[in-house]
Amino acid sequence: MMIIGIDDTDSRTEGGCTTYLAAVLMEKLQEHGTFADYPLLVRLNPNVKYKTRGNGAIALSIEIEDSRMDAAKKMVLDEVGDQSKLSDENTNPGVVFLSGASEGMRDDLRLFSRRAIQDILRIEDAKRLINTHKIDFHEFKNGRGLIGALAAAGIALNGIPDHTFELIAYRESGRASAGVPRDVDAESIREADLQTYPRTWDTVDIANDTVVCVPHGNDPVLFGIRGEVDGVLDVFNCIMSEPAERAVIFRTNQGTDMHLMRVGPLIDPVKDGCSYILDGTVCDQPHTIHGGHVIFRIVDKSGTTIDCAAFEPTKNFRGTVRKLIAGDIVVVCGSVSNATVHLEKIKVEHLATDYDVTNPVCACGRRMKSAGVGQGYRCRHCGSTASAPDRVLIERDLDVGWYEVPPCARRHIAKPLVRCAGDVHLVHPGR
Ligand code: ATP
């Protein structure tokens, strides 16, 4: 068995897509061996600044005779060389080949893959591991892609703790390179979504009236359907569109929350560039700042605070966040940047009691007036007095439970609540 890890072949400006490269290799490598599994699409730390889009890397596992390995490796490197957008300074492909692994290598790779998903690594971290275990590799330019290539190969080697599937259909190359707008019938997508949800998700965003599964960039992807394997196939068979050149189902860690770390019970050890699950109490009323972003602060049991933000692209999720009040007990999930949690999900664990405080109503039916600072209230009509204001319980327009950003704002790796229904109570999936 040989595992091939590949990353960093595409470009924001010049197009391309590492998953497309994998899809082509799935066809070409068949002459050398048999694939042991679906191709693996691994989403790494979503906060990495070098990413083109979703920080994805791929790994292929192929049963192959030793005598065929060199030819297969050459085929892979030729394809990476041909398809990579090497003129973009941010495209630095890396390829690794694993065949056979000691226990020590498995353990090191397990740790490396986890760190690539949850932390920020350096190219030297990848090279040190490659040297230690004498891993066969090839780098183009500065070889930053070795980080993702090694991480994806490590997941293929050690197994993926949780997974979903994505079926990606690709455009015919002529249309893609000519920049012809994608021709995909939105009605057929909406219908397919209705037929298959919750076996598929994030195909459309009903609340925000948006088709989510069709990209708009200069990459070769026609559409991508996320879900369970039978669901994504059903959607594929329903969508009416321009002809797809090819379509491939990837096993993936998308929709798994593998990036989130629970460091608690305290907020203190968080750092920028990583993603967390944090417990806290809301300490101020959420407020909306310029640009429509909604901000509030939470405090933990030690008194440490951190700001949380529901940014404008999270659309209707901000409406839920605005309903929080000081004293609500919450769990927040998201990545930390500039010491602020970029909210992906929030659990309202306990709702604080909210009162409307008004001047007391007198026995004579009139409302009392303040009698001066610290002197209570007095009825100007009959002279009665009261020491405390009336407090009327306000019914909260918010339920306890989990809330999430809508599909149009979801990160690939974030676990949609529709996948959590069996694990936790009280989920309010965004749809
Ligand atoms: P696409 O999804 O379109 O294939 P992308 O968003 O995956 O593109 P890449 O072109 O692969 O972006 O660039 C991401 C780069 O960041 C790669 O070189 C990868 O090796 C590197 N990288 C991935 N994870 C980490 C990490 N945790 N720390 C540092 N670098 C990382």
Side-chain angles (χ1 to χ4, degrees), residues 215-264:
H216 304 287
N218 57 357
D219 56 275
V221 174
L222 182 57
F223 54 79
I225 308 298
R226 297 174 192 171
E228 305 302 340
V229 75
D230 59 337
V232 299
L233 273 170
D234 286 350
V235 173
F236 181 60
N237 290 325
C238 288
I239 291 182
M240 291 187 290
S241 71
E242 65 184 53
E245 181 203 85
R246 66 186 73 229
V248 168
I249 296 179
F250 291 86
R251 192 190 293 278
T252 169
N253 68 338
Q254 288 173 177
T256 64
D257 274 350
M258 275 179 80
H259 62 316
L260 297 180
M261 294 184 277
R262 191 178 249 295
V263 290

Side-chain angles (χ1 to χ4, degrees), residues 7-11 16-19 41 43-45 48-57 90-92 115-123 143-149 151 412:
D7 196 16
D8 205 350
T9 65
D10 52 14
S11 153
C17 178
T18 307
T19 70
L41 167 57
R43 295 291 175 182
L44 303 165
N45 186 341
V48 163
K49 67 176 179 190
Y50 303 107
K51 69 179 181 178
T52 310
R53 283 176 294 267
N55 202 8
N90 286 321
T91 302
N92 296 284
R115 289 185 62 211
I117 293 170
Q118 297 185 334
D119 207 340
I120 306 289
L121 292 167
R122 295 163 310 159
I123 302 174
R144 181 172 290 111
L146 288 173
I147 299 172
H412 298 82

Side-chain angles (χ1 to χ4, degrees), residues 48-123:
V48 163
K49 67 176 179 190
Y50 303 107
K51 69 179 181 178
T52 310
R53 283 176 294 267
N55 202 8
I58 62 115
L60 308 175
S61 302
I62 184 167
E63 301 284 2
I64 184 168
E65 310 249 328
D66 287 354
S67 59
R68 291 268 188 176
M69 277 201 192
D70 286 346
K73 288 177 183 177
K74 181 173 183 314
M75 183 176 267
V76 170
L77 295 179
D78 286 349
E79 197 63 36
V80 173
D82 282 354
Q83 285 203 32
S84 295
K85 309 298 176 192
L86 295 171
S87 54
D88 183 334
E89 66 166 326
N90 286 321
T91 302
N92 296 284
V95 182
V96 299
F97 301 100
L98 309 183
S99 37
S102 65
E103 270 311 302
M105 177 170 154
R106 278 179 184 273
D107 290 347
D108 285 353
L109 273 169
R110 187 178 291 112
L111 183 62
F112 185 89
S113 302
R114 186 154 59 79
R115 289 185 62 211
I117 293 170
Q118 297 185 334
D119 207 340
I120 306 289
L121 292 167
R122 295 163 310 159
I123 302 174

Side-chain angles (χ1 to χ4, degrees), residues 324-343:
L324 294 168
I325 61 169
D328 286 343
I329 298 173
V330 294
V331 180
V332 298
C333 301
S335 55
V336 174
S337 179
N338 293 324
T340 300
V341 180
H342 295 212
L343 291 174

